[in-house]
Amino acid sequence: MRGRPWRHDRDRRSWLRGAPPPGWVRVLPAGLLAAVCAATLLSPEPLDIGFLLGAIPPLAVLSYGPAATAVLGGLVLVVLVAPAFRLDDPGSTDLLTVGFVAVLSVFVSFVRSHRDAQLVTERAVAQVAQRAVVPPLPKQVGPVQCAGLYRAAQRGTLVGGDFFDVRAGPRGVRAVMGDVQGHGLSAVATVASLLGAFREAVLDQPDPESVAARLDRRLVTDSAGVPHAELFATAVLLEFSADARAVRIVACGHPGPLLLRRGKAVELEIEPGAPLGLGLAEVARPSGATVPLRPGDRLFLASDGVTEARDTTGAFYPLTERLGSFCDEEPAALAEQVWADLVRHCPDVRDDVTMLVLAPRARDGA
């Protein structure tokens, strides 16, 4: 998944929470009608099963529009009164009751159809807005191949408290991944503010330390005037050299990336700085470390939703140990493999999960 967190993701909404109904729900009304008709025609004696037909219009409401619901309701009345089906001669009261239920079902179906159309429109607008905040990563930025994977903890959202981006600027390719305070829709405004500041800083700041200071100032400014805002974020910033043979890393309260080299995952020793939003960047600039890169090296960044995921026994997901078995995968496949392995370890992931894989390709002759 090359930065497209909405593809290949399981739809965690159930069909009772806005997802399209499964096929068996759509088949159920017509199937029940056909079953009643077949049973009455095959039985040598009249059957008193006409009451089952009364359930067909309400069932049709779940997946059909007003017209189809009205047709099914009309067929129910026809079957009830047709002599060939011998449904024990239903009385006028039974017919009126079924007819009233059918009419009421048509009305409910009309209301539901209009509500669903409105929800579809609102969901489409929300997805466009969220994708504008965190657009898909390109397959490659300069000499760096990119792959990002994001799973929001809050159902039905594409953006939460985690964020990442990779941008090319006058001083090379720069990347950021972080985690703001909180998660879900309440953190989207902070994520949008940080990403906007990062994209501007990529163009005019001389080094990743200065980019970190700009993000810190952005959060301090956003929280000014808000009593007890306690707005902060952790992040790690990377800047690749022009020939992609080295990377400078600045960690602001966030774990550094893992270096994948020759089938092993190695934890880089990066001095952790203070989280963003505390205003400390003006007092003491965050310090970075430059790491030389070899051909075939990859950098793997993950949020705490990965490293702090626990299985039923309370054991944390062993990311460093598991990564070694996926080192040969392409960046996009690597993120997907880790996600699948994480879900097997912890089926009920409750936090935002973010992964960013960066594979620099050194330029020949550089």
Side-chain angles (χ1 to χ4, degrees), residues 3-318:
R4 297 179 180 270
W6 53 88
R7 285 189 177 181
H8 307 303
D9 189 10
R10 283 183 270 178
D11 190 351
R12 293 182 292 175
R13 295 175 290 133
S14 70
W15 65 277
L16 294 176
R17 293 180 178 177
W24 66 267
V25 175
R26 297 182 61 85
V27 172
L28 189 57
L32 181 58
L33 179 61
V36 170
C37 293
T40 55
L41 291 175
L42 296 175
S43 175
E45 301 292 335
L47 298 178
D48 189 13
I49 58 174
F51 67 93
L52 294 175
L53 297 174
I56 291 176
L59 289 175
V61 171
L62 296 175
S63 52
Y64 291 102
T69 302
V71 170
L72 286 169
L75 291 175
V76 166
L77 293 175
V78 170
V79 172
L80 279 173
V81 300
F85 297 105
R86 300 174 299 163
L87 287 173
D88 204 19
D89 298 325
S92 59
T93 302
D94 296 332
L95 292 175
L96 289 174
T97 300
V98 174
F100 175 77
V101 170
V103 172
L104 184 61
S105 297
V106 171
F107 174 75
V108 174
S109 178
F110 174 81
V111 173
R112 182 195 59 78
S113 298
H114 279 258
R115 184 208 61 183
D116 287 353
Q118 182 179 7
L119 288 176
V120 168
T121 301
E122 292 177 354
R123 185 173 291 122
V125 172
Q127 288 181 346
V128 170
Q130 292 178 81
R131 291 172 186 173
V133 174
V134 184
L137 289 180
K139 181 180 179 180
Q140 185 161 336
V141 179
V144 181
Q145 290 186 347
C146 313
L149 183 145
Y150 185 74
R151 299 293 186 275
Q154 186 166 339
R155 295 177 182 272
T157 62
L158 303 175
V159 181
D162 293 350
F163 62 94
F164 58 78
D165 200 4
V166 182
R167 297 276 165 163
R171 295 168 179 83
V173 175
R174 290 173 175 174
V176 64
M177 196 183 83
D179 182 4
V180 307
Q181 177 192 21
H183 58 79
L185 294 177
S186 61
V188 173
T190 306
V191 168
S193 181
L194 282 173
L195 286 177
F198 170 75
R199 291 159 187 165
E200 288 293 328
V202 164
L203 300 176
D204 54 31
Q205 294 302 309
D207 49 53
E209 290 87 347
S210 300
V211 176
R214 173 70 67 85
L215 300 184
D216 179 76
R217 187 179 69 178
R218 177 73 270 166
L219 285 185
V220 171
T221 302
D222 289 347
S223 60
V226 181
H228 311 294
E230 298 182 354
L231 185 61
F232 67 90
T234 62
V236 58
L237 296 107
L238 302 92
E239 179 182 86
F240 292 90
S241 61
D243 58 7
R245 297 181 185 272
V247 60
R248 187 159 183 81
I249 305 170
V250 176
C252 301
H254 197 285
L258 295 172
L259 176 63
L260 306 184
R261 175 178 290 172
R262 294 181 179 178
K264 294 183 179 180
V266 180
E267 295 185 18
L268 297 176
E269 295 183 1
I270 306 297
E271 181 181 352
L276 304 173
L278 304 182
L280 300 180
E282 298 294 334
V283 180
R285 282 170 55 88
S287 59
T290 300
V291 178
L293 299 173
R294 302 175 185 175
D297 284 353
R298 300 174 191 176
L299 296 171
F300 185 91
L301 298 90
S303 66
D304 56 7
V306 178
T307 57
E308 296 181 3
R310 304 189 186 207
D311 62 11
T312 55
T313 66
F316 289 106
Y317 178 68

